[in-house]
Amino acid sequence: MTHRVTIADVARAAGVSLQTVSRAINNKGEISDDTRQRVLETSQRLGYRPSMLARGLVTRTTLTIGLVVPDIANPFFSEIARGAEDAAHAAGYSLLLGNSTENPAREADVLRTLEEKCVDGIVLCSSRLQQAELAALMDRLPALVLINRPAPNNNAGVIAVDDEAGAEDGTRHLLRGGRRAVGFLAGPRGSHSAQERARGYACALANAGIAYDATRSLPCQPYFEGGREAMQTLLAAHPETDAVFCYNDLVAVGALQACAAAGRRVPEDVAVVGCDDILLAALVTPALTTLGVDKREVGAAATRLLLERIKCCTTECQEVMFRPALIVRASAP
Amino acid sequence: MTHRVTIADVARAAGVSLQTVSRAINNKGEISDDTRQRVLETSQRLGYRPSMLARGLVTRTTLTIGLVVPDIANPFFSEIARGAEDAAHAAGYSLLLGNSTENPAREADVLRTLEEKCVDGIVLCSSRLQQAELAALMDRLPALVLINRPAPNNNAGVIAVDDEAGAEDGTRHLLRGGRRAVGFLAGPRGSHSAQERARGYACALANAGIAYDATRSLPCQPYFEGGREAMQTLLAAHPETDAVFCYNDLVAVGALQACAAAGRRVPEDVAVVGCDDILLAALVTPALTTLGVDKREVGAAATRLLLERIKCCTTECQEVMFRPALIVRASAP
DNA sequence: CTGTTAGCGCATTCAA
DNA sequence: TTGAATGCGCTAACAG
């Protein structure tokens, strides 16, 4: 690493002007095949690498986008990252990665750095920022796509998951399997996705002509313990329960544990359906029937949407909705 | 997003020269507290973000490093990435992420892009490049740290995992448990770490006075499917198999599945040992005995080494060796 | 078809 | 303590 080879070095070595080299490299403007060939060869021979810094300064594009996730070590986000990187790479873009660590201050810090690096746009996952901060960010940024979070002013790209449709599908699956006393382990009270899922659950019951019974819906913490406790309560209050639809897979695994403790066989006595299709879902015994989206495709779609918005200077809201697919395993065949 | 606020805008608004703004922002050079304060306030008010492009062009540093991994969706690498990003962020650096997808052409492409983006250095995981290509890369790069791959000219930073020692420990654990027909699901043919692990496996057998039998070593893709298929083949060819040492945990989980499908109990009939201690290892049933290093720490150590090399312009070889620890769980008690 | 001129936004070197 | 020039490597607009 002595001196970086510049366009001037190539020009000198090839006996042409700077501009001619630039034209050859970018393959634009009028230039004879002969000269282009010669320049390209020289450039190759010298190991020339165009500086995207200098180029970006002029063109105001860096061919780089930012990806901000809470934690790249979380399989959910690393799948998204893979899809994002694939889509970016395919379009000639690079990915600047940042972890927000569920910490708004660090998230803001990461976003600030991304701005300074002059990224052409950002894919932002599960942002914890205030609406106002987000709006300000969008003002300063050429393009933004949000995953798992509504846009503050309806003027960003948004990738959303249709939780309601998913929950309806999951519940209907249980009903079609002949279950009639279907409970719902509903997750945290305030959660947006919990409300969506509750709606889908209720909708499926209504469509099947089954009366909605509020005492069969139990809020719970979105973890093992929450699911276990809620399931115990449900079985105590409604011993006839023959199925549960769960807020997420962790809750569902908790429900599995509660069933085992209560001597109920899954799926013979009680069928269980989870949500999200986390890695664990396929590995527990019995394996969990669940609803999941293709995370990699979500990342790729977010990136493609971002690139399209960059290209078209789109500022209006665009929303892409993913409908979770039912993945049938042993817990609810 | 109208016009990016530049240093000139701040200067005009604050009624000072460009230079004074630059000094205030970078907090260097002589400048009165009063002016600095005023400039900083103005800069804040206008939402000024220094352009690292312009700054990098003159300072020849971008405060950005590249991280190239085979597949960020692989938990092994996503843990490394997390550690790398943490260490980079702590030092004020950003991370440009690239997936090489086990494909030398794509790896070369990613590295080329990183060069063009003028990264200050690169952490390169499990490179599949030819020695000559790697050497050429190092020549053009300010700094390079390799994970899981020896340096061609002994002039890069290297983070190594003692795969051979690990594999020997793992295989010996199986032999001490009384197993005698120990197979090896060997991973991808070309892989360096696969070769190291093969050596450790063979070594442990030799030390136990057991003849090495090449037909018990089966190459496979480093994923579930690869492990499952290889294990099926192994059980068919050697029904007496009472243990397998696996290239990695994903392969080991595949082996678990194949055992279940073949009606072999784990660990009673067949003991299974994996490698890498990914998250999944503790969650499967039976939980996987495996060999692991702290991946996050590996990523962080690689990054810290890289940053140190950047800072000190070090070019000699520096090697940090991690020895995997045996983590005993149910699959091979 | 090719070369010349002028910046992109900033830090560095000199003067004031 | 501050300001004015110069150039980082490159492309966009003109000339020739």
Side-chain angles (χ1 to χ4, degrees):
Chain A
M1 180 68 190
T2 51
H3 160 75
R4 185 174 175 120
V5 180
T6 79
I7 205 172
D9 299 318
V10 178
R12 200 175 316 116
V16 296
S17 76
L18 299 185
Q19 185 52 269
T20 304
V21 177
S22 176
R23 277 194 273 255
I25 305 246
N26 296 310
N27 203 25
K28 67 197 280 192
E30 308 296 308
I31 183 174
S32 72
D33 277 355
D34 186 43
T35 355
R36 170 184 299 124
Q37 206 53 40
R38 189 155 41 89
V39 170
L40 257 28
E41 262 167 33
T42 321
S43 140
Q44 178 85 26
R45 181 165 52 76
L46 299 184
Y48 169 69
R49 294 281 179 276
S51 159
M52 294 301 292
L53 288 191
R55 181 180 288 175
L57 201 53
V58 169
T59 62
R60 301 165 166 295
T61 32
T62 52
L63 296 183
T64 301
I65 61 177
L67 172 68
V68 181
V69 295
D71 177 11
I72 189 65
N74 178 327
F76 186 82
F77 297 113
S78 69
E79 279 288 341
I80 288 183
R82 177 59 144 94
E85 208 271 333
D86 282 345
H89 184 265
Y93 279 74
S94 310
L95 209 63
L96 219 28
L97 174 75
N99 290 116
S100 56
T101 68
E102 320 243 7
N103 172 349
R106 172 136 171 201
E107 180 182 341
D109 190 40
V110 163
L111 289 169
R112 186 197 170 86
T113 305
L114 255 23
E115 278 187 72
E116 297 185 346
K117 303 268 156 99
C118 305
V119 293
D120 295 340
I122 294 179
V123 173
L124 177 52
C125 263
S126 313
S127 175
R128 292 288 188 95
L129 256 36
Q130 309 281 349
Q131 294 293 64
E133 289 179 277
L134 212 48
L137 177 69
M138 286 166 34
D139 235 43
R140 277 179 282 107
L141 225 53
L144 181 66
V145 167
L146 264 17
I147 295 182
N148 252 351
R149 158 98 190 225
N153 301 324
N154 258 19
N155 55 350
V158 172
I159 305 289
V161 172
D162 195 339
D163 284 312
E164 180 177 345
E168 191 179 339
D169 290 349
T171 309
R172 188 172 40 226
H173 176 71
L174 290 168
L175 296 168
R176 287 204 176 143
R179 313 288 170 156
R180 280 301 168 268
V182 182
F184 177 41
L185 307 190
R189 276 174 200 285
S191 150
H192 177 73
S193 59
Q195 288 167 5
E196 294 290 302
R197 288 168 193 188
R199 221 192 312 274
Y201 162 76
C203 197
L205 290 183
N207 287 341
I210 296 182
Y212 175 81
D213 175 355
T215 65
R216 296 187 192 274
S217 284
L218 284 76
C220 60
Q221 289 297 309
Y223 309 110
F224 290 143
E225 296 71 24
R228 196 166 48 215
E229 289 165 15
M231 190 66 190
Q232 279 166 357
T233 311
L234 180 65
L235 288 175
H238 295 281
E240 77 284 11
T241 296
D242 58 10
V244 267
F245 178 69
C246 301
Y247 171 69
N248 68 19
D249 290 337
L250 296 177
V251 168
V253 172
L256 251 32
Q257 295 171 337
C259 286
R264 310 285 185 114
R265 292 166 305 163
V266 176
E268 293 83 353
D269 304 330
V270 179
V272 176
V273 171
C275 266
D276 294 347
D277 189 33
I278 63 176
L279 194 59
L280 185 56
L283 301 172
V284 289
T285 309
L288 220 48
T289 291
T290 187
L291 290 139
V293 294
D294 182 339
K295 270 84 72 181
R296 199 172 292 204
E297 183 49 31
V298 166
T303 304
R304 277 189 240 109
L305 179 58
L306 183 74
L307 295 178
E308 185 193 320
R309 291 174 69 86
I310 289 171
K311 188 165 147 205
C312 308
C313 298
T314 316
T315 59
E316 316 88 67
C317 182
Q318 292 173 293
E319 182 165 323
V320 176
M321 185 79 103
F322 275 79
R323 180 173 185 136
L326 182 69
I327 297 151
V328 179
R329 300 203 184 91
S331 73
Chain B
M1 182 68 191
T2 51
H3 159 74
R4 185 175 175 120
V5 180
T6 79
I7 205 171
D9 299 317
V10 179
R12 199 173 318 115
V16 296
S17 76
L18 300 185
Q19 187 44 25
T20 305
V21 177
S22 177
R23 277 195 273 256
I25 304 242
N26 296 310
N27 204 24
K28 67 198 282 195
E30 307 298 308
I31 184 175
S32 73
D33 278 356
D34 186 43
T35 346
R36 171 184 300 123
Q37 205 56 37
R38 190 154 42 89
V39 170
L40 257 27
E41 263 167 32
T42 317
S43 138
Q44 177 84 26
R45 182 166 52 78
L46 299 184
Y48 169 70
R49 296 279 180 279
S51 160
M52 295 301 291
L53 287 192
R55 181 181 288 174
L57 199 54
V58 44
T59 62
R60 300 164 166 294
T61 35
T62 51
L63 296 184
T64 301
I65 61 177
L67 173 68
V68 180
V69 295
D71 176 11
I72 189 65
N74 179 324
F76 185 80
F77 297 113
S78 68
E79 278 289 339
I80 288 183
R82 178 60 146 92
E85 209 271 334
D86 282 344
H89 184 264
Y93 279 74
S94 310
L95 210 62
L96 219 29
L97 174 74
N99 290 118
S100 56
T101 69
E102 321 245 7
N103 172 350
R106 171 134 172 202
E107 181 181 342
D109 191 42
V110 163
L111 288 170
R112 187 197 169 87
T113 305
L114 255 23
E115 278 187 71
E116 296 186 346
K117 301 270 157 97
C118 305
V119 294
D120 295 340
I122 293 179
V123 173
L124 177 52
C125 266
S126 312
S127 176
R128 291 284 187 95
L129 255 37
Q130 310 280 351
Q131 294 292 66
E133 290 179 277
L134 211 49
L137 177 70
M138 286 166 34
D139 234 42
R140 278 179 284 106
L141 224 54
L144 181 67
V145 166
L146 265 17
I147 296 183
N148 257 349
R149 158 97 189 225
N153 301 325
N154 256 20
N155 54 351
V158 172
I159 305 288
V161 171
D162 198 337
D163 282 312
E164 181 176 345
E168 189 180 340
D169 290 349
T171 309
R172 187 171 44 226
H173 176 71
L174 289 169
L175 296 168
R176 287 203 176 144
R179 314 288 170 156
R180 281 299 168 269
V182 181
F184 177 40
L185 307 190
R189 277 175 201 284
S191 148
H192 176 73
S193 60
Q195 289 167 5
E196 293 289 304
R197 287 168 193 189
R199 221 193 312 275
Y201 162 76
C203 195
L205 291 183
N207 287 342
I210 296 181
Y212 175 81
D213 175 355
T215 66
R216 296 187 191 273
S217 284
L218 283 77
C220 60
Q221 289 297 307
Y223 308 110
F224 288 143
E225 295 69 25
R228 197 166 46 214
E229 289 164 16
M231 191 65 190
Q232 280 167 357
T233 311
L234 180 65
L235 288 175
H238 294 283
E240 78 283 11
T241 296
D242 60 8
V244 268
F245 179 69
C246 301
Y247 171 68
N248 69 19
D249 290 336
L250 295 177
V251 168
V253 171
L256 250 32
Q257 295 172 338
C259 286
R264 311 282 186 115
R265 291 167 306 163
V266 177
E268 294 82 354
D269 304 329
V270 179
V272 176
V273 171
C275 265
D276 297 347
D277 189 34
I278 64 176
L279 188 62
L280 187 55
L283 298 174
V284 289
T285 309
L288 220 48
T289 292
T290 185
L291 291 138
V293 294
D294 183 340
K295 271 84 66 184
R296 203 170 288 204
E297 184 48 33
V298 166
T303 303
R304 277 189 239 107
L305 179 57
L306 182 74
L307 295 179
E308 185 192 319
R309 291 174 69 87
I310 290 171
K311 189 165 146 203
C312 307
C313 299
T314 315
T315 59
E316 317 88 68
C317 180
Q318 294 172 291
E319 181 166 324
V320 177
M321 183 80 105
F322 281 78
R323 179 167 184 145
L326 182 71
I327 298 152
V328 178
R329 300 203 184 93
S331 73

